[in-house]
Amino acid sequence: MPDMPLSLRLYRRLLQLYPAGFRENYAEPLERAFRDELNQSAGAAALCMLWIRLIADLARSLPQQFAREVAQDARHTFRLWMRRPWHTGFAILAVAIGIGANTGVFSVVNALLLRSLPFHDPERLAYLRWFFEPHDSAKQFHEWRRQSTYLGDAAIFEQFDANLGGTGDWRRAHVVQASANFFSVLGTQPVLGRGFAPGDDVDGTGWGPLGRNAVAVISYGLWQELFAGDPKALGSTIRLDGNPLTIVGVAPPGFDYPGKSVLWKPAAFSPGNYGWETIARLKPGVTWAQARAAFATEADRFWPNRTTLQRIQYPSTITELRDELAGPARKGSLVLMASVILILLIACTNVANLLLARTTDRATELSIRSALGASRARISQQLLTECVLLSLAACTAGLFIALWTRSIAAAFQPAALASQAYSILDGRVLSFAIAASVLSGLLFGVLPSLYAGRVHTFGTRALSDTRGSRLVRETLVAAQVMLTIILVAASISVGRAFLDLMHVDRGFERTGLITVNVSLEGTTHSDGGRRLAYFQEALAHIRRLPGVRSASATEFLPLYAKAFIGGRFQMDGRNASENSMIVPVLPDYFRTMGGRILAGREFTDADVQSGAQVAVVNERFAGEFGPPADAVGRETAEGNDRPLRIIGVVRGTDYMTDGAQSNQIFVPSHSPGGFFSTFVARVNGRAQDHLAMIRDTIRSVDPQVPVFGVKTMEQRMSDALAQPQFYRTAVFCFTAIALLLVIIGIYGIVSYNVARRSHEMGVRMALGTTPGQLRLSLVRSGLIPIAAGTIPGIAGAILSGRLLENLVDGARPVSAVAYVAAVLGMAVIAAVGIWVAARPIAQLDVMEILRTE
Amino acid sequence: MPPKEQSAPGALTPLSPAVFHILLSLGEGERHGYALKREIALRTAGKLNLGPGVLYGSINKMLELGLIQESHDRPDPHLDDERRRYYRITPYGRKVAQAEAARMRELAQLAAARFGVPKHA
């Protein structure tokens, strides 16, 4: 209408803001009233006043009308729910599971990836990997960091376990030595005392000269535990591996970076120490892209002549500290997040299907309302309100489920993020839950409200179950089948990766094996010559215990040692293709571990006592130089060191949890008792029953020596594999939930169809079709949407399989056989569901049906 | 929309000024929305100037409560624009208006006894 005044057009737009019911009844009189007023308002001032009044009027009446209509719709919805409590209960439960699983996993993802770290301005903190800045002396390091063009500041630290004492019992603790600016780079202030002062870090080997760096900042927890929170702790002395340190500060609560550190001391720089890790804060104004470019150049400068292979194996990277901390948990969490989103989608399609079926059922009611003047918009608004209310109810229930999923997930948090509690009441988590519920409400509300539009268009014609609505419902079933196949394939793939992990040949027998750690650092046995005597005495005691078959000790226990020493060994003047780790062990080690000696023999007491230059090598190393058994009697050496005579060849031992093998050279341990020193004992019967006895025996040798890590090998395995096992269990649970939802969905649709078509069925039975034949035909037609869902399902599963390969270690795409099995399995489950749901056909009373005709 | 089950007239009091004024105007005869608005503005010397949203919001609520109903009789067809909607008071609406008037009278009497009533406020 070109001659319509602008004001009127504007007012019409504003009228659209009113809820549907009010708009339908009063749009026309409202517009008329506006015209009347408009006609009487001559001049710009009057028009201006009119608009001010109108806007005030809108502001008053809009909320009132909305509250009225929503209250009306809500009352109507509750009446409907009460009428069909099972139906409603299932719909709420389905969405609650979806939202609950989502929110729980999101709270973990939130903590790992999204939430801030307990540091100042954490987005600018970086972790530098495979980067060798100058750190031979304090002066060298501080000069380098001060002249950096892209880093505002940088700190280095070294973390290790040490014996902590001086205020009570000796204990093993995770501690850090760091450059003096460590706390200022992180932006963390001690709650008591001071951090490190410039110049606190000094040059020196080991602990360095006892001077400026003989100070320590302790964690809040340690302060509470040792000093009961007494400020007098400042100035006290604490001993680390026997060296006295003066406490100068207490870290804030929750601060335990890196790892679960309880003590930080200033660094002692020494040439050739490559145990340092580097963190940095970007210079103000420098972007991450610029920092990465500058870093790459510098990394090359500090590590020149790197081979291509080295570049691939040890890539220098600068990453956000948060990504570094989240580590492998990050990828795993993303996999979990993807699976729970699939569940939410399945739950939504399921509920959409249920609601659609019910809306079709309510066609009579809706047609009557439509005939009484309710518009399409009004009915859609009613249906949408129903859905949003349903999802809000589900959201509340979902939060309880989230509490549970979160507590499970929290149990498996990586140690690096231990200080980050997973809070369900975190604003971001809550808004995620609410957004998920409202979005899913809209998602499954769209279809019923579209259908309402059809009711309005066709009036009571929609009473008949049209081809179109059946098609929509079957498409929804197909979509569910598709999503479920993706999940099933993913869970098979992840589950198999885990099984591979469990069944990998580790080169030792894990049952009936007890492991106990000790550390001689800082004790009266720490002198070179006395170390071996301590171990021999303890082993003699252990071997005398009833039930102990054999006992030994090693400096590097599989799955426990996180770092190892080694180098490029050679044989017959030829270098091995990769570095070999050196594992010092005591006599009887292989017998105790259940390792397999392929050729030769293992070490004897004489080898250890005499300091013989002998070695036992693993099959992989020996295999590089010919048939493994032929290695016995030959010599191997690292660089120009004295050669070692090979006396035996063994199956390799798996040191990491990923089943990776490495070159291993075992040597007699002449000076045991270092960082990862561990007693091992093979016992008869249940290993757990012998734990306390062996621990007490070792303690009795010298109560001053800290005894820790008293565990069976099986416990160590399950600790090491806790994370993959958690992911496997979670993905399995999610798949089970998805399958359950699909079965319930299919069951619901079929029983609905049977109920709707009872008349037709009755007629067909009267014409001679048996109930069995009818049920079979239902199974056939019910399987069509399932077949339709399998094709995109398999396509999606292949894609997600590729993604999983990158995200989960050891995950391989599922084979064609597995797909066929999964699809057939689903078809069988669905067919049984349909058969059971079609049971009422057998009870149909043909005469009754024909009589109503 | 069908009227709700009617509660006792006194249960709806006190009425909002808009509702009471609409009832007052309809007590005299049928009116359409705009006429109601003008009449109320006149009666209150412009103090109660109902905007369209509040006016029809009140009408909507009064229809639901059964205080008024839409009238399909038309006055003189020459005077009338047939697209306008007319409303009339229901017997229940009358009772509610009476209840409100009685409530106001009691209040006015109480105030008179307490403070006295000046001839011109």
Side-chain angles (χ1 to χ4, degrees):
Chain A
M1 216 185 287
D3 56 342
M4 198 199 300
L6 178 69
S7 288
L8 190 57
R9 266 182 288 166
L10 200 60
Y11 190 63
R12 273 195 184 164
R13 281 279 159 84
L14 288 176
L15 286 183
Q16 296 295 319
L17 295 175
Y18 280 109
F22 185 75
R23 199 169 63 225
E24 270 149 35
N25 281 320
Y26 297 103
E28 190 225 309
L30 281 169
E31 192 183 316
R32 178 175 297 280
F34 178 75
R35 274 177 200 268
D36 288 335
E37 299 238 10
L38 198 61
N39 291 337
Q40 292 188 0
S41 314
L47 193 65
C48 211
M49 279 308 295
L50 172 66
W51 271 108
I52 291 173
R53 279 207 311 275
L54 275 176
I55 286 170
D57 177 56
L58 269 173
R60 265 184 75 190
S61 57
L62 262 180
Q64 280 176 1
Q65 296 311 321
F66 260 107
R68 279 175 89 71
E69 285 195 20
V70 169
Q72 262 173 20
D73 289 349
R75 277 196 300 272
H76 188 70
T77 304
F78 286 125
R79 274 200 301 275
L80 283 174
W81 284 5
M82 287 301 123
R83 228 183 288 159
R84 306 188 75 167
W86 281 108
H87 189 283
T88 311
F90 168 70
I92 291 179
L93 187 68
V95 182
I97 290 172
I99 290 176
N102 260 291
T103 311
V105 174
F106 180 79
S107 68
V108 176
V109 173
N110 179 34
L112 285 181
L113 312 176
L114 306 175
R115 199 134 48 106
S116 297
L117 299 174
F119 309 135
H120 172 68
D121 200 6
E123 291 76 30
R124 306 286 292 166
L125 280 176
Y127 185 89
L128 284 58
R129 182 182 287 279
W130 296 115
F131 180 72
F132 302 100
E133 71 282 291
H135 50 228
D136 284 349
S137 69
K139 183 166 172 278
Q140 207 184 36
F141 171 72
H142 289 299
E143 268 173 14
W144 164 76
R145 72 174 174 89
R146 281 194 199 103
Q147 56 75 44
S148 176
T149 52
Y150 62 103
L151 300 175
D153 200 357
I156 56 173
F157 61 87
E158 185 182 24
Q159 43 181 328
F160 49 92
D161 290 341
N163 296 344
L164 198 63
T167 53
D169 280 349
W170 286 86
R171 68 171 76 200
R172 203 67 184 157
H174 196 64
V175 302
V176 169
Q177 65 160 333
S179 58
N181 60 342
F182 177 75
F183 290 105
S184 67
V185 167
L186 291 173
T188 302
Q189 292 294 325
V191 283
L192 189 70
R194 64 172 178 92
F196 302 148
D200 274 359
D201 48 3
V202 296
D203 294 340
T205 51
W207 291 102
L210 291 182
R212 288 207 66 170
N213 77 329
V215 294
V217 172
I218 58 172
S219 75
Y220 193 86
L222 195 63
W223 180 46
Q224 294 294 325
E225 200 182 324
L226 296 184
F227 299 98
D230 187 350
K232 286 193 194 119
L234 292 186
S236 306
T237 301
I238 193 165
R239 280 179 184 272
L240 202 60
D241 282 351
N243 298 296
L245 302 174
T246 308
I247 296 170
V248 294
V250 175
F255 182 89
D256 60 2
Y257 181 79
K260 286 183 175 175
S261 301
V262 298
L263 183 144
W264 299 263
K265 68 175 285 291
F269 288 87
S270 60
N273 182 355
Y274 286 96
W276 299 113
E277 296 176 64
T278 314
I279 51 168
R281 189 174 281 285
L282 297 196
K283 220 170 207 159
V286 172
T287 64
W288 278 96
Q290 289 165 340
R292 268 190 283 271
F295 169 81
T297 319
E298 205 173 23
D300 280 346
R301 188 152 60 83
F302 292 138
W303 190 357
N305 311 322
R306 236 189 307 188
T307 64
T308 316
L309 186 67
Q310 281 173 327
R311 274 175 200 284
I312 295 168
Q313 278 180 319
Y314 315 111
S316 300
T317 50
I318 177 168
T319 47
E320 260 195 66
L321 182 59
R322 173 169 37 208
D323 293 347
E324 168 64 25
L325 284 177
R330 176 175 194 225
K331 287 176 171 180
S333 300
L334 288 177
V335 172
L336 287 192
M337 197 72 210
S339 16
V340 291
I341 285 175
L342 282 183
I343 296 226
L344 186 63
L345 276 177
I346 292 172
C348 281
T349 44
N350 214 336
V351 174
N353 223 342
L354 273 178
L355 289 184
L356 186 63
R358 195 166 70 170
T359 314
T360 323
D361 253 359
R362 282 166 59 192
T364 324
E365 176 213 327
L366 296 177
S367 317
I368 291 171
R369 288 185 62 183
S370 163
L372 285 174
S375 69
R376 176 185 177 148
R378 182 73 191 86
I379 292 178
S380 300
Q381 183 184 303
Q382 157 77 42
L383 292 174
L384 220 57
T385 312
E386 278 175 32
C387 294
V388 172
L389 278 178
L390 190 81
S391 46
L392 282 180
C395 173
T396 319
L399 279 178
F400 284 98
I401 296 179
L403 273 175
W404 176 69
T405 45
R406 176 201 60 118
S407 64
I408 296 176
F412 294 90
Q413 62 185 341
L417 280 178
S419 60
Q420 301 235 338
Y422 298 109
S423 161
I424 201 73
L425 290 175
D426 181 280
R428 213 167 346 201
V429 175
L430 266 188
S431 25
F432 176 84
I434 291 167
S437 74
V438 171
L439 268 181
S440 55
L442 292 179
L443 198 65
F444 59 66
V446 165
L447 279 173
S449 55
L450 280 182
Y451 182 78
R454 292 165 45 90
V455 170
H456 194 254
T457 322
F458 298 112
T460 47
R461 267 184 55 202
L463 264 173
S464 62
D465 188 16
T466 58
R467 237 185 120 72
S469 72
R470 218 165 45 224
L471 191 69
V472 171
R473 286 206 304 276
E474 286 175 354
T475 311
L476 285 175
V477 171
Q480 283 180 49
V481 169
M482 176 189 91
L483 296 171
T484 310
I485 287 180
I486 295 178
L487 259 184
V488 169
S491 73
I492 292 176
S493 166
V494 172
R496 227 176 29 185
F498 181 75
L499 285 183
D500 289 351
L501 214 53
M502 292 302 286
H503 292 141
V504 69
D505 182 3
R506 298 184 186 282
F508 58 85
E509 184 57 50
R510 61 181 168 172
T511 49
L513 194 58
I514 286 173
T515 63
V516 181
N517 297 105
V518 291
S519 171
L520 299 183
E521 307 300 333
T523 68
T524 49
H525 307 279
S526 60
D527 288 349
R530 300 166 76 171
R531 288 172 175 261
L532 189 58
Y534 169 84
F535 271 77
Q536 282 173 331
E537 188 186 346
L539 282 173
H541 280 96
I542 296 171
R543 285 174 184 143
R544 277 202 295 273
L545 289 173
V548 174
R549 275 155 58 190
S550 66
S552 180
T554 173
E555 293 298 288
F556 292 106
L557 185 71
L559 308 182
Y560 173 68
K562 293 285 192 299
F564 54 81
I565 48 170
R568 189 61 59 94
F569 272 77
Q570 54 171 337
M571 207 155 97
D572 306 333
R574 186 159 64 84
N575 270 340
S577 65
E578 60 181 76
N579 282 349
S580 308
M581 62 186 291
I582 303 175
V583 188
V585 298
L586 287 177
D588 253 3
Y589 177 71
F590 295 103
R591 187 159 77 93
T592 307
M593 291 298 282
R596 258 164 293 162
I597 297 174
L598 303 172
R601 60 170 178 89
E602 72 167 298
F603 304 119
T604 58
D605 277 329
D607 292 326
V608 176
Q609 294 281 18
S610 65
Q613 294 293 309
V614 290
V616 170
V617 299
N618 73 336
E619 190 183 10
R620 184 186 164 122
F621 176 82
E624 286 201 27
F625 305 93
D630 292 357
V632 177
R634 287 153 78 186
E635 287 190 335
T636 181
E638 183 194 4
N640 295 325
D641 286 0
R642 274 176 68 186
L644 304 169
R645 191 167 49 82
I646 297 173
I647 57 164
V649 178
V650 291
R651 273 306 287 263
T653 305
D654 177 26
Y655 271 81
M656 307 299 152
T657 54
D658 54 6
Q661 295 280 313
S662 53
N663 282 348
Q664 292 152 8
I665 313 271
F666 298 86
V667 295
S669 182
H670 304 301
S671 175
F675 284 160
F676 300 111
S677 214
T678 314
F679 284 104
V680 288
R682 182 153 299 279
V683 295
N684 294 322
R686 269 164 43 97
Q688 282 93 327
D689 302 343
H690 297 79
L691 277 178
M693 192 174 58
I694 291 181
R695 181 198 60 206
D696 295 344
T697 305
I698 297 173
R699 272 211 185 125
S700 70
V701 176
D702 181 357
Q704 285 281 303
V705 175
V707 175
F708 54 96
V710 185
K711 288 175 176 180
T712 65
M713 197 66 200
E714 282 185 311
Q715 279 170 343
R716 285 188 194 265
M717 295 270 296
S718 64
D719 288 353
L721 298 176
Q723 235 177 37
Q725 181 168 24
F726 166 63
Y727 291 132
R728 185 201 60 146
T729 313
V731 174
F732 277 5
C733 283
F734 293 154
T735 308
I737 291 172
L739 271 174
L740 191 71
L741 286 177
V742 168
I743 291 167
I744 292 173
I746 293 172
Y747 184 89
I749 292 306
V750 173
S751 31
Y752 166 78
N753 272 340
V754 171
R756 283 199 68 78
R757 292 166 63 190
S758 61
H759 180 250
E760 176 207 330
M761 305 274 172
V763 174
R764 284 172 67 182
M765 274 161 72
L767 292 173
T769 318
T770 63
Q773 284 169 327
L774 278 180
R775 286 170 84 175
L776 267 183
S777 84
L778 272 176
V779 170
R780 268 200 305 273
S781 61
L783 284 178
I784 292 172
I786 291 165
T790 53
I791 296 161
I794 290 178
I798 290 172
L799 281 181
S800 74
R802 296 231 176 97
L803 210 66
L804 275 178
E805 264 185 292
N806 293 326
L807 290 179
V808 178
D809 292 330
R812 276 170 290 137
V814 179
S815 65
V817 180
Y819 281 126
V820 172
V823 169
L824 280 183
M826 277 214 61
V828 168
I829 290 170
V832 171
I834 297 169
W835 184 259
V836 175
R839 200 183 42 217
I841 290 178
Q843 280 128 36
L844 283 182
D845 185 344
V846 180
M847 289 318 290
E848 184 64 32
I849 289 167
L850 292 182
R851 215 174 290 133
T852 53
E853 178 78 351
Chain B
M1 190 163 296
K4 284 184 181 174
E5 208 167 288
Q6 288 171 351
S7 39
L12 294 185
T13 60
L15 299 175
S16 72
V19 169
F20 189 56
H21 275 284
I22 293 171
L23 285 176
L24 270 183
S25 300
L26 294 182
E28 214 176 281
E30 296 178 5
R31 300 275 191 278
H32 56 70
Y34 192 61
L36 281 172
K37 172 194 153 65
R38 271 192 322 201
E39 200 176 314
I40 292 167
L42 206 66
R43 186 187 307 132
T44 59
K47 280 185 187 162
L48 190 61
N49 193 355
L50 298 178
V54 174
L55 174 71
Y56 283 101
S58 305
I59 288 178
N60 189 24
K61 186 170 143 200
M62 291 165 80
L63 281 168
E64 237 177 76
L65 291 171
L67 300 178
I68 59 173
Q69 56 189 191
E70 237 181 277
S71 161
H72 299 289
D73 303 335
R74 286 289 176 269
D76 188 344
H78 297 290
L79 296 175
D80 177 50
D81 175 350
E82 67 171 22
R83 286 172 302 175
R84 285 193 191 276
R85 283 189 212 173
Y86 281 75
Y87 302 96
R88 70 161 161 245
I89 193 165
T90 61
Y92 177 62
R94 249 172 225 289
K95 281 184 197 154
V96 171
Q98 280 169 352
E100 176 71 357
R103 185 189 69 84
M104 289 169 112
R105 188 183 56 212
E106 271 170 33
L107 215 57
Q109 281 172 349
L110 187 65
R114 263 303 129 88
F115 313 115
V117 182
K119 283 203 172 148
H120 298 287

